[in-house]
Amino acid sequence: MTDPSHTAYANFGGKVGKTFGSSKPWWPERRTAPAGAPNIVFVLADDIGYSDFGCYGSEIPTPNIDAVAAAGVRYTNFHVAPLCSPTRASLLTGLNCHAAGMGQVANIDPGFPGYTSELPRNQPSLPEILRDNGYSTMAVGKWHMAKDSDLNEAGDKHSWPLQRGFEQYYGFLEALTNFHHPHRMYEGNSVIATDEYPAGYYVTDDLTQRAERMIREVRAADSTKPFFLFYAHGAVHAPLHAKREDIEKYRGRYDAGWDKLRDERLARQIELGIVPADTELPPRNFEANEDVQAWDELTADEKLVFARYMEIYAAMVQTIDDSVGHLRSVLDELGELDNTIFIISSDNGASREGRANGTSSYFRDGGAGAGRSPEVNEEDIDNIDALGGPTTWPHYPRGWAMACGTPFRLYKITTHRGGHSSPFIVSWPARIKEGREILRRQYTHITDVLPTLCDVIGLQIPTTRNGLEAQPIAGVSFAPTFDTPDAETFHNEQYYECIGHRAYYKDGWAIVSFHAHGVPFPETPWELFHIDHDINERHDLSAQHPEKVAELAAAFERAAWANRVYPIDEGSRLNHVIRPPDDARFELPVRISRATPTLERWRSSRLVAGRSVRIDIEWAYRAGDEGVVLAHGGQDSGYVLWVEDDTLHYEHNGFGTPYPGPAIELGDSSTSLTLELTVRNRLWDVAIAVDGEVRGHMEGVPVLARFLPFEGIDVGIDRRSPVSWSLFQRRGCYPFTGELTAATYTPSPIPADELEHMLARMRDFALALE
């Protein structure tokens, strides 16, 4: 009788009885990249203005970015979407942002195909194309291309980095995070368990170190395999956080103000050839709720605080440059720099989310709402040295955003050039030789990056994904410009739309419409500019050329329908409120055991935002037990219960302002504890009951906004950014030492008057994520 195992080995050779040694081995074809295929490193900054790098006119030293430019080419007419998620979606798919389902930031899901907040299931992405052609694919940093209701451990992950072609990922999935105490970091699909960050931790340094590690790992494992690294910075998006020693380097540099800075930057841009020699600055931005005051009209206190905001911003720009230097050093050390396509860009124009006066508390002041932010006061002066540190969530006044966007008008979200003109630098020493003209003035767009990279590598762009037919991409290759300064441009038309702002570019002409929120669209006029001769939209020619306006307006309509732009948001922010019916499951009562890691931010916010909630805590307290019982939030906002010296304490954090609550002596033991937050007159009343008896009460603390707190719920500990800074300084994350089982959240429906108020303030807080 034949031994079955021998038969199996014999069959491996092709026939029963044939020996292995006489058989010809066969292996499936391995996916390999074309011979000599370059590595790709794409560094995407967040909210960087057109003039923020030294090689585009900035006074901020960026020697490493400038070195990339010196070894390659700079594009002076490169464009992105006016918002981060849309730009990222276009980069990865080659589609216009609405066609990619990302017409706004990935924090909405109103039920329309242009605003799904996730990448299309039928569209191949750049990392998928590269991976399937033999590349190792890696990403670090901000993602922001999956809907917030899916950012939990049970969420649909089809639009997460690993599911969209990246083999490694390290970073945060949301719009922003605390740079000193990131609220939720991921490795691959898994949340990294962190109770406390080490002293001096800074997220950009962490991301850079991980990017370096990924490159070294891949190269050591396979010396022949090309790689694609996508480094998506959180900097310089709010909050403006930087290391103290970096901030101090810029002390006093911005005392002269934003008007002087614009003049200085324009002069350098003219000297560098970035803009024509006859370029003049447009007037300070004057549009409704986007206007900028003259620096000389500010008070001495305003100038002092406003200059500090810009010092922090400059320090953050420096961290981006530092990251570029580290990556270039690793590539040089490994002998990879010559055959690496190194790209640096930004995801939209400079951000005006600090409003007129800036803020030390980004969410308290509405992020990006209309009108002026709070006036500078004595507290701002007293705490000026704390700005940029872990106890603050600052953003600069929009006057600095105007200067950072030199020489263009307006800023992020708007469709004037300040909203979508971006620096774009490419080096590839093996292909782009030194000594050639280093500026490129062809009109290019973020949708062009995918076809350009596929073109220079020699890859076919797939027409299907997972058996589904893909959309034709919108972008075109600009590879000829690598070698030829005056190569023909093939991207001759482009629409823009963002929160009602609209524009259409064609053959050197552009129509642009600034949309004041709440104004009907037929009453929003088109401006007309001959961009070839008026790069910063100073001279409106709509009255002289009504036929050109009509032509371009008709072209916008065709493009808008073809790319799923409609329905356009008129500014009410209802698209942030309207959610799929099954999202109601997130507002059901939930029991969170002490063993549960931090409940994700958005999931946690559904239980408290704008509503009353009862929180029943299961514990068996005994005298001598101590530590945090319940914590929800961080230095941005939140609430915390803890026991210290046999006394129960409550503190409410109202957007950075602490509201100390009652101190309750507990006695020898307790078996139940209840915290109730009750909405009254759009504020919360707080009641704390021990063993069924209300023992503590406080009135009129801020109701937390729809997106807040930014840290989720912890039972028995206060992880990462603390709700109470004074408690953290004394005790750290302060785990509870006694018997603590769980906390059950029972939310109430949002009151009708609170719902109306929530809708009214929705625009401010929605824009804070944009």
Side-chain angles (χ1 to χ4, degrees):
M1 182 173 178
T2 306
D3 185 332
S5 64
H6 292 170
T7 302
Y9 278 106
N11 272 317
F12 181 86
K15 294 181 180 178
V16 175
K18 190 173 183 180
T19 64
F20 178 81
S22 63
S23 303
K24 183 178 181 180
W26 174 88
W27 291 278
E29 183 179 354
R30 185 171 68 91
R31 295 182 298 194
T32 57
N39 304 314
I40 304 167
V41 175
F42 196 115
V43 176
L44 185 68
D46 196 351
D47 288 2
I48 280 285
Y50 183 79
S51 68
D52 276 334
F53 297 148
C55 53
Y56 280 81
S58 181
E59 74 296 335
I60 303 169
T62 55
N64 299 297
I65 293 171
D66 297 350
V68 177
V73 293
R74 280 169 288 163
Y75 288 78
T76 64
N77 197 8
F78 187 83
H79 302 264
V80 295
L83 269 179
C84 55
S85 297
T87 290
R88 292 156 198 263
S90 290
L91 168 66
L92 294 192
T93 65
L95 298 175
N96 286 317
C97 56
H98 298 81
M102 211 72 70
Q104 286 195 24
V105 287
N107 297 88
I108 63 173
D109 189 10
F112 303 107
Y115 306 91
T116 62
S117 290
E118 57 188 15
L119 297 174
R121 295 176 187 265
N122 66 318
Q123 199 69 26
S125 69
L126 177 59
E128 289 169 335
I129 296 169
L130 293 171
R131 179 200 61 196
D132 292 347
N133 282 278
Y135 272 72
S136 183
T137 54
M138 310 167 286
V140 298
K142 169 177 168 175
W143 183 244
H144 209 198
M145 285 182 283
K147 60 182 66 177
D148 44 18
S149 57
D150 279 339
L151 298 185
N152 57 72
E153 288 79 351
D156 188 333
K157 298 176 176 58
H158 79 91
S159 198
W160 287 30
L162 295 196
Q163 284 68 24
R164 296 312 307 227
F166 287 108
E167 296 164 322
Q168 296 188 67
Y169 172 69
Y170 180 75
F172 55 97
L173 296 176
E174 296 209 63
L176 68 158
T177 195
N178 183 319
F179 284 75
H180 299 290
H181 301 279
H183 71 293
R184 194 170 175 87
M185 296 288 285
Y186 292 80
E187 186 162 25
N189 285 338
S190 300
V191 179
I192 297 173
T194 305
D195 291 345
E196 289 185 33
Y197 290 100
Y201 176 92
Y202 188 69
V203 73
T204 304
D205 294 342
D206 188 11
L207 296 173
T208 301
Q209 291 164 10
R210 182 56 64 95
E212 292 182 69
R213 172 180 145 182
M214 288 178 177
I215 292 173
R216 293 184 185 280
E217 288 171 336
V218 167
R219 188 48 70 238
D222 188 337
S223 62
T224 66
K225 190 172 188 177
F227 58 80
F228 169 45
L229 171 67
F230 178 42
Y231 189 157
H233 275 273
V236 288
H237 195 290
L240 298 188
H241 279 164
K243 293 171 285 187
R244 179 63 51 203
E245 61 271 21
D246 289 342
I247 300 172
E248 288 306 307
K249 295 175 185 177
Y250 296 95
R251 184 177 287 275
R253 176 61 184 85
Y254 297 102
D255 291 354
W258 47 64
D259 293 321
K260 178 68 171 176
L261 187 65
R262 273 216 304 172
D263 291 337
E264 293 173 351
R265 288 194 175 187
L266 177 63
R268 278 191 292 272
Q269 288 176 328
I270 291 173
E271 180 182 355
L272 292 168
I274 298 296
V275 301
D278 60 352
T279 301
E280 297 180 8
L281 289 173
R284 280 185 298 273
N285 295 324
F286 56 84
E287 288 78 3
N289 298 317
E290 303 294 357
D291 58 300
V292 174
Q293 191 173 2
W295 183 263
D296 289 343
E297 296 175 0
L298 302 176
T299 68
D301 285 349
E302 287 173 331
K303 290 178 180 179
L304 179 67
V305 175
F306 294 0
R308 190 59 169 175
Y309 287 131
M310 187 61 190
E311 292 165 8
I312 303 165
Y313 181 88
M316 290 186 80
V317 174
Q318 177 189 312
T319 67
I320 299 173
D321 186 72
D322 290 343
S323 74
V324 170
H326 284 291
L327 295 181
R328 280 175 53 84
S329 294
V330 171
L331 292 168
D332 190 31
E333 174 195 330
L334 296 174
E336 302 279 343
L337 190 57
D338 192 57
N339 197 33
T340 296
I341 301 175
F342 206 117
I343 304 174
I344 305 171
S345 190
S346 178
D347 61 1
N348 45 242
S351 172
R352 81 287 180 270
E353 291 159 22
R355 311 203 310 185
N357 292 341
T359 177
S360 62
S361 180
Y362 183 68
F363 288 109
R364 178 194 66 199
D365 298 327
R372 298 181 64 85
S373 40
E375 301 294 329
V376 171
N377 54 42
E378 289 185 11
E379 183 180 355
D380 294 322
I381 302 298
D382 292 342
N383 295 329
I384 192 168
D385 287 336
L387 290 173
T391 61
T392 64
W393 273 62
H395 202 281
Y396 64 12
R398 59 179 175 247
W400 293 122
M402 176 187 68
C404 292
T406 302
F408 301 122
R409 290 175 55 189
L410 293 168
Y411 344 77
K412 174 182 177 180
I413 84 163
T414 66
T415 51
H416 285 75
R417 286 199 64 179
H420 55 80
S421 290
S422 168
F424 190 80
I425 306 167
V426 183
S427 76
W428 184 12
R431 165 78 179 267
I432 304 172
K433 304 301 182 182
E434 293 185 40
R436 297 184 179 182
E437 166 60 46
I438 60 174
L439 296 177
R440 300 292 185 267
R441 306 192 187 278
Q442 294 88 344
Y443 186 95
T444 41
H445 190 263
I446 192 67
T447 54
D448 300 333
V449 173
L450 184 152
T452 299
L453 292 174
C454 289
D455 183 9
V456 298
I457 298 169
L459 306 181
Q460 291 290 324
I461 299 174
T463 57
T464 62
R465 181 179 185 270
N466 294 341
L468 301 174
E469 183 178 354
Q471 304 174 66
I473 66 169
V476 294
S477 174
F478 56 85
T481 66
F482 286 3
D483 305 304
T484 308
D486 57 353
E488 183 179 357
T489 180
F490 295 100
H491 198 132
N492 298 309
E493 298 187 52
Q494 181 62 45
Y495 84 88
Y496 299 90
E497 188 281 328
C498 188
I499 317 177
H501 302 292
R502 296 164 293 155
Y504 197 85
Y505 169 87
K506 181 180 179 182
D507 295 330
W509 289 83
I511 52 169
V512 187
S513 176
F514 176 88
H515 177 62
H517 298 301
V519 176
F521 283 104
E523 297 178 17
T524 304
W526 290 108
E527 297 175 276
L528 174 70
F529 303 103
H530 195 181
I531 299 297
D532 282 353
H533 303 287
D534 180 19
I535 66 164
N536 51 5
E537 301 163 325
R538 296 174 60 238
H539 305 291
D540 179 11
L541 304 177
S542 56
Q544 293 94 314
H545 301 284
E547 75 291 344
K548 179 62 75 171
V549 173
E551 173 196 340
L552 297 182
F556 175 89
E557 282 295 302
R558 291 191 296 270
W561 286 110
N563 287 278
R564 306 172 184 166
V565 172
Y566 291 111
I568 292 178
D569 177 13
E570 76 291 340
S572 70
R573 289 300 178 275
L574 282 173
N575 56 7
H576 283 263
V577 178
I578 300 170
R579 307 288 300 205
D582 64 354
D583 273 10
R585 69 190 188 278
F586 295 120
E587 300 174 5
L588 297 173
V590 61
R591 182 176 181 271
I592 308 168
S593 74
R594 180 178 184 174
T596 304
T598 307
L599 189 64
E600 183 270 328
R601 174 202 65 84
W602 189 84
R603 174 72 179 92
S604 296
S605 73
R606 300 305 86 208
L607 301 171
V608 303
R611 65 178 78 238
S612 300
V613 60
R614 175 187 173 100
I615 308 165
D616 293 299
I617 298 166
E618 304 166 35
W619 72 344
Y621 167 79
R622 297 293 180 267
D625 294 343
E626 64 176 359
V628 171
V629 178
L630 179 75
H632 183 184
Q635 282 293 283
D636 59 279
S637 61
Y639 51 93
V640 59
L641 273 172
W642 77 95
V643 177
E644 190 174 14
D645 298 329
D646 296 326
T647 302
L648 180 66
H649 299 268
Y650 176 85
E651 185 171 308
H652 194 88
N653 185 324
F655 313 112
T657 300
Y659 293 80
I664 303 167
E665 293 185 8
L666 290 171
D668 293 333
S669 65
S670 169
T671 58
S672 72
L673 175 63
T674 299
L675 171 67
E676 286 199 75
L677 306 173
T678 303
V679 175
R680 194 184 317 278
N681 297 323
R682 296 194 288 275
L683 296 170
W684 265 332
D685 290 346
V686 180
I688 302 170
V690 180
D691 297 325
E693 178 187 356
V694 175
R695 300 277 303 280
H697 187 267
M698 61 189 301
E699 296 181 349
V701 298
V703 170
L704 298 181
R706 191 169 180 83
F707 302 116
L708 299 178
F710 222 72
E711 289 267 4
I713 296 168
D714 283 318
V715 177
I717 194 171
D718 188 0
R719 297 183 174 98
R720 297 172 299 278
S721 179
V723 176
S724 171
W725 190 254
S726 61
L727 177 62
F728 175 74
Q729 287 182 306
R730 295 196 310 273
R731 300 286 194 166
C733 60
Y734 206 16
F736 190 69
T737 62
E739 183 178 338
L740 175 61
T741 307
T744 297
Y745 276 70
T746 305
S748 299
I750 298 176
D753 61 339
E754 173 60 22
L755 183 59
E756 291 179 8
H757 179 66
M758 182 181 294
L759 293 177
R761 72 188 182 205
M762 205 59 222
R763 181 165 67 88
D764 286 357
F765 284 102
L767 279 169
L769 290 185
E770 296 166 351

